[in-house]
Amino acid sequence: MISANDLSPAELAALLHFHADAGVEWLLEEEAIDRFAEFEAMKAARRPAAAQAQQQRPAAGERSAPGQAQLRPNAAARPAPAERAASGPQPAIPDGEAVQQARFVAETARSLVELKTAIEAFNGCNLKHSARSTIFASGDAESGIMVIGSAPSAEDDREGMPFSGKSGQLFDKMLAAIGLTRSAILLTQVIPWRPPGNRAPSAAEMDICRPFIERQIALAEPKAILLLGNFSARFFFGENDTIHGLRGRWKEIAAADCVIPAIASLHPQDLLTAPVNKRLAWNDLLAFQAKLKSLSLLRN
């Protein structure tokens, strides 16, 4: 094992960033645990079961009776799946009741401020228990312009705001290229909590978060929406194509009684990974800019 004392400050910082990106949030338990004593107790518990299994094992050259199964060593010491599941705290899994609760919470919110408070108090989704921050809409709700990303990244979770870090810096440049700023739009994400390790949200997690993002759209009543990223486009368009097949085409999405034109494009993180695709994103941004001008949401 490498001691932290053997690492340079740069190496230690890189290691901590690696753990953070992998979803590691805490380095210590709530209470001290003696792992050595725990291991010794586990070995002591296995000895009687191993001895019993040895006694039941047929002697060399002796065959078991037909239909009689041989007991494998330590099999008796291994707890049944149900016992293992009950041995420790289990995460709350979103179910139909949790989805109904999310819908009720969302529908009863009469403003974005009320909705933000309600989401922060909501505990029915696994993702919240592993995330540091609840990412909610920010910017100008009266602008008529809405940009929706996918899910918070590790940087978003640490900073408490969408599109942070390098992808956020590129996002700001993308907005500036068509005459916009963060403060001049309403910016949010489909999922308000970062999935551990930046994994894709499960179907249950998407179902439970859907009322929250749809209520944000209904309360803001945007005139045009820009969707960034493969997940965001699939979530609203209901298609399984990649972002390259979904981008660049105007479609309508519905939220409550609102039907809003929306166009999808590549996420800034995608452009950092593959800069060659910036030309595709630029074409999408120009199409979005033209739509805003036609709706008198952006000056010529």
Side-chain angles (χ1 to χ4, degrees):
M1 180 181 294
I2 300 176
S3 171
N5 296 328
D6 299 329
L7 300 177
S8 67
E11 291 173 331
L12 184 57
L15 179 62
L16 291 174
H17 280 296
F18 169 78
H19 285 307
D21 291 340
V24 177
E25 303 292 348
W26 303 103
L27 299 181
L28 300 175
E29 299 285 353
E30 293 290 342
E31 298 180 358
I33 298 177
D34 189 339
R35 297 297 183 187
F36 295 101
E38 188 179 70
F39 179 66
E40 291 299 327
M42 181 180 64
K43 288 198 301 182
R46 286 183 175 179
R47 288 192 192 105
Q52 181 182 2
Q54 186 67 28
Q55 293 174 359
Q56 294 180 1
R57 183 183 301 169
E62 181 181 347
R63 295 184 179 180
S64 301
Q68 180 179 356
Q70 295 185 4
L71 182 64
R72 291 181 297 171
N74 294 335
R78 188 178 298 114
E83 294 174 351
R84 292 199 300 269
S87 62
Q90 299 298 308
I93 300 177
D95 54 16
E97 183 178 350
V99 173
Q100 291 296 329
Q101 182 184 2
R103 289 174 181 166
F104 174 79
V105 167
E107 291 172 359
T108 53
R110 298 304 175 198
S111 67
L112 288 173
V113 174
E114 288 184 9
L115 182 59
K116 180 178 186 292
T117 302
I119 295 176
E120 290 175 339
F122 185 80
N123 292 314
C125 184
N126 281 339
L127 297 178
K128 182 179 181 181
H129 305 314
S130 60
R132 294 183 180 181
S133 306
T134 297
I135 308 300
F136 190 75
S138 62
D140 185 1
E142 303 296 329
S143 65
I145 306 170
M146 196 168 191
V147 178
I148 305 177
S150 299
S153 65
E155 291 83 2
D156 299 342
D157 194 34
R158 283 194 292 269
E159 299 296 329
M161 61 180 295
F163 293 94
S164 300
K166 291 184 178 179
S167 64
Q169 295 172 7
L170 178 55
F171 174 69
D172 290 337
K173 293 179 180 179
M174 294 167 64
L175 290 178
I178 58 173
L180 292 173
T181 62
R182 286 180 185 244
S183 60
I185 64 173
L186 187 64
L187 177 62
T188 190
Q189 293 178 325
V190 174
I191 305 296
W193 303 289
R194 179 206 176 199
N198 293 336
R199 66 166 172 79
S202 67
E205 290 163 349
M206 288 190 288
D207 287 342
I208 206 169
C209 291
R210 182 178 291 276
F212 298 143
I213 183 60
E214 289 184 345
R215 189 58 176 164
Q216 289 182 59
I217 296 174
L219 291 171
E221 297 183 340
K223 305 300 181 184
I225 295 177
L226 173 64
L227 304 174
L228 294 178
N230 191 66
F231 174 79
S232 181
R234 287 181 173 182
F235 184 89
F236 284 104
F237 292 162
E239 301 179 29
N240 293 323
D241 204 349
T242 67
I243 188 60
H244 291 277
L246 297 174
R247 55 155 291 274
R249 292 179 292 148
W250 283 99
K251 298 185 178 183
E252 291 184 339
I253 61 177
D257 297 329
C258 303
V259 178
I260 307 104
I263 189 171
S265 187
L266 290 95
H267 193 281
Q269 185 60 48
D270 299 333
L271 303 179
L272 291 174
T273 305
V276 68
N277 290 325
K278 287 184 178 180
R279 59 183 179 85
L280 301 177
W282 175 238
N283 289 334
D284 300 335
L285 289 174
L286 290 178
F288 189 61
Q289 181 188 48
K291 172 68 76 171
L292 297 182
K293 289 181 177 180
S294 69
L295 296 172
S296 300
L297 298 175
L298 189 64
R299 296 179 181 178
N300 293 318

